[in-house]
Amino acid sequence: RRLPELPRLIESLQRLADLGGHAMPSHGPELPEVRTVALRAISAYQRTAERVRTALAAYDEPPPLPELMHAVFGEVPLNFVGLRLGFLLGYADLVGLGEAYR
């Protein structure tokens, strides 16, 4: 069973934003402003979620995943279909339609 992880990720990012401070990630440079980085990531997820909502508004019922993927991401090269499908399922969870694709 697929679990709705994208909403949980956003909740975690919000908790990090609330904590603030700086962080020493295991990869990359120090993050001097955790709040700024976390809020920027949340905003990016929310922008794409809005694209998914807009695409879904054109349908009376949830469309087949390939059709929705094309409406949200446009043409997806074959080597990126699996990656985009994973993102799309996460966004379906985020906008409240995850059950339609389980």
Side-chain angles (χ1 to χ4, degrees), residues 9-10 13-14 17 37-47:
L9 172 62
I10 291 177
L13 287 168
Q14 186 59 57
V37 173
L39 291 176
R40 194 175 307 146
I42 291 169
S43 179
Y45 285 121
Q46 289 172 335
R47 282 192 306 273

Side-chain angles (χ1 to χ4, degrees), residues 10-99:
I10 291 177
E11 289 170 10
S12 294
L13 287 168
Q14 186 59 57
R15 286 194 302 273
L16 282 172
D18 294 344
L19 287 172
H22 68 276
M24 299 289 292
S26 60
H27 299 283
E30 177 182 356
L31 299 175
E33 293 291 329
V34 170
R35 179 175 175 75
T36 301
V37 173
L39 291 176
R40 194 175 307 146
I42 291 169
S43 179
Y45 285 121
Q46 289 172 335
R47 282 192 306 273
T48 303
E50 190 55 39
R51 287 177 35 209
V52 172
R53 279 187 198 95
T54 300
L56 286 167
Y59 300 93
D60 293 329
E61 58 185 44
L65 280 171
E67 193 173 329
L68 180 59
M69 186 183 319
H70 186 268
V72 173
F73 299 120
E75 288 296 322
V76 177
L78 184 59
N79 55 329
F80 289 106
V81 168
L83 181 64
R84 290 293 183 183
L85 178 60
F87 284 136
L88 188 59
L89 291 170
Y91 284 109
D93 291 331
L94 193 59
V95 302
L97 284 175
E99 287 299 322

